[in-house]
Amino acid sequence: NEKQLSDDMKGLVLELDRRQSTPMLVSAMEILARGNNHRTPASGDAVVAVVEKPMAIEASHTEPGGTKNIVNEARAMTVVAMAPTEPTTPQPPEVPVVPPPPTPPVVVVPTPPVEEPPVAVAPPQVNQLAWVRYKWTPKTESDTFSHQFEQAVAAGLDRVWGDTSYTVFRLPSSTGAVLAPAEANASFRLAEASAHLALRGNGNRVEAVNVNGGNLMVDFSRSTFSTMLALSSPTIGSDHISATGTVASNGALKSTQGNASLGGALSLDGREAAYAFEKANTAGTLRGITLWGR
């Protein structure tokens, strides 16, 4: 707010109290009388600003006896009263926004594939061929498939091949046909096997021998075969037999090369095989019989 002091307002000044919104005309003498008791405005008090001409307080003359007569002359001036500034409510400091920590990547541990247990493949069935052992031939625990000679004869089987220990019999052909396979080459799987070691210098004492597997390949187009057997026992350790030979027109097998003597027969349809083997060893003689199928 603004108020104008003029020449006809001598001896007056404008005073603005902080509790008032409008400045008041006050005697200059009253202001002087306050003297040093006038305090410095506190925070929030009114501030009086003088614009244009300043207010002057002058001594005009001295009375007889030395008494001063103080005359206040207020010249024209403009006083601008500014309202006190309201105290500012302190604002709490801004809390910095902390970004959340990055989400750690999800580690996907691959599940190892479940390994299926190997499916046991059943050995092939052999029904057209049969082994006969003679009474003097020892029988081991692994020999669960050989028969007595009288049993084979009673069943009407035909003798195909034999030696002094074993003979292989076969179902007879109703048409009298000889070997007639449907393919040129065939691979056979081991169905049954039994082997023993006749120990040297110990009379009839024998030791069971394990047959750990083998293979048999027949080439019908060339009328040949090849075979291998893996053997083991406490006396011989690990050993094997291997042989190649010929296939006769009636299906009889006979070795021509190898580390063992071998003989046997094929079924007339070429799907089954049987052979016996014999091999000399430093501890005695290895003997055994096998059955094969597809």
Side-chain angles (χ1 to χ4, degrees):
N1 296 319
E2 295 185 0
K3 280 188 178 291
Q4 185 74 32
L5 294 176
S6 60
D7 290 337
D8 58 351
M9 295 180 181
K10 293 182 179 181
L12 298 177
V13 295
L14 284 173
E15 182 182 46
L16 177 63
D17 189 85
R18 63 175 179 171
R19 293 165 295 183
Q20 299 173 345
S21 60
T22 305
M24 302 292 295
L25 289 172
V26 181
S27 170
M29 293 301 294
E30 182 180 346
I31 296 299
L32 292 175
R34 295 175 187 171
N36 293 332
N37 293 330
H38 188 272
R39 60 182 177 83
T40 302
S43 174
D45 286 350
V47 178
V48 177
V50 178
V51 184
E52 298 177 3
K53 298 177 181 180
M55 181 183 71
I57 302 175
E58 300 177 352
S60 59
H61 63 277
T62 303
E63 292 292 339
T67 303
K68 288 185 178 182
N69 183 17
I70 299 174
V71 178
N72 297 292
E73 181 179 357
R75 294 178 180 175
M77 64 183 69
T78 300
V79 179
V80 179
M82 294 182 291
T85 304
E86 293 294 332
T88 304
T89 303
Q91 298 295 325
E94 292 186 2
V95 179
V97 179
V98 179
T103 303
V106 178
V107 179
V108 179
V109 179
T111 303
V114 179
E115 295 185 3
E116 297 292 337
V119 179
V121 179
Q125 297 295 314
V126 177
N127 302 310
Q128 303 178 60
L129 301 172
W131 279 108
V132 169
R133 69 181 183 280
Y134 295 106
K135 293 180 180 180
W136 56 84
T137 303
K139 181 181 180 182
T140 62
E141 292 183 1
S142 61
D143 182 6
T144 59
F145 55 94
S146 66
H147 306 278
Q148 294 292 329
F149 189 86
E150 293 79 11
Q151 294 174 320
V153 174
L157 302 179
D158 292 341
R159 183 180 182 275
V160 183
W161 176 92
D163 60 11
T164 58
S165 298
Y166 299 98
T167 297
V168 61
F169 282 76
R170 181 174 64 192
L171 287 175
S173 171
S174 58
T175 61
V178 294
L179 186 62
E183 58 278 283
N185 296 278
S187 175
F188 292 79
R189 295 188 295 126
L190 188 62
E192 299 281 2
S194 176
H196 65 273
L197 173 66
L199 294 169
R200 192 184 309 277
N202 286 280
N204 294 326
R205 183 169 173 264
V206 297
E207 179 181 272
V209 174
N210 298 318
V211 179
N212 302 315
N215 58 69
L216 171 63
M217 299 291 296
V218 177
D219 185 343
F220 295 105
S221 64
R222 298 175 180 271
S223 298
T224 60
F225 74 90
S226 63
T227 187
M228 187 278 295
L229 279 180
L231 308 171
S232 65
S233 79
T235 299
I236 68 173
S238 296
D239 202 349
H240 74 283
I241 68 165
S242 60
T244 59
T246 60
V247 179
S249 59
N250 67 345
L253 303 175
K254 183 179 180 180
S255 63
T256 56
Q257 290 183 334
N259 64 1
S261 175
L262 185 150
L266 295 171
S267 61
L268 292 175
D269 62 1
R271 299 196 63 81
E272 297 178 7
Y275 68 74
F277 63 89
E278 183 175 303
K279 178 186 178 183
N281 185 277
T282 56
T285 303
L286 283 168
R287 294 189 178 94
I289 52 176
T290 63
L291 287 174
W292 305 77
R294 291 196 276 160

